[in-house]
Amino acid sequence: MIGRKLIYKRDVFLVLIILTAAFSLIVWRYHTAGQGKMAVLSYGGTETLSVPLWKDGIYEAESNGMNLHIEVKDGKAAFINSPCPDHTCEHFGWLEKEGDIAVCLPGAAILEISK
């Protein structure tokens, strides 16, 4: 009976260590999401807006005579409330990985995630 109780305490201790490590990893991943990455909006090969992905907000930039709106949230970026008639750029969705690209053809703009 004494041996069984020691095994149970060790099992509980081991489970607590694993849960603590898993929780710590989740918190670390959440807090480092987007760090070092930038959402870069370019028009005609020239960078017109550059925003770090850790800085949530809605940003506006002019491109080809259009006011484009970029939302940065939770380490991701996307075109929102596009003034163009087809809203195709909004359908690219949220960009988060380095090299992800969304294009607004009427605005002649490219939104890209870079380091």
Side-chain angles (χ1 to χ4, degrees), residues 72-106:
V72 175
K73 183 177 177 183
D74 299 329
K76 302 173 186 176
F79 281 109
I80 60 166
N81 302 325
S82 179
C84 58
D86 59 4
H87 300 273
T88 302
C89 56
E90 294 176 18
H91 297 293
F92 282 94
W94 291 96
L95 310 176
E96 64 179 315
K97 297 177 188 163
E98 185 178 357
D100 283 355
I101 294 176
V103 179
C104 176
L105 292 177

Side-chain angles (χ1 to χ4, degrees), residues 15-80:
V15 168
L16 286 175
I17 289 174
I18 291 170
L19 289 175
T20 302
F23 180 74
S24 299
L25 181 62
I26 290 169
V27 169
W28 176 77
R29 278 289 285 167
Y30 177 77
H31 285 293
T32 59
Q35 286 188 346
K37 295 181 191 171
M38 304 288 285
V40 178
L41 185 72
S42 303
Y43 167 64
T46 304
E47 185 178 306
T48 58
L49 177 69
S50 183
V51 180
L53 289 185
W54 56 264
K55 191 174 180 183
D56 290 357
I58 296 175
Y59 303 91
E60 188 174 315
E62 187 174 332
S63 179
N64 201 26
M66 300 176 75
N67 287 326
L68 301 176
H69 304 94
I70 309 297
E71 182 174 7
V72 175
K73 183 177 177 183
D74 299 329
K76 302 173 186 176
F79 281 109
I80 60 166

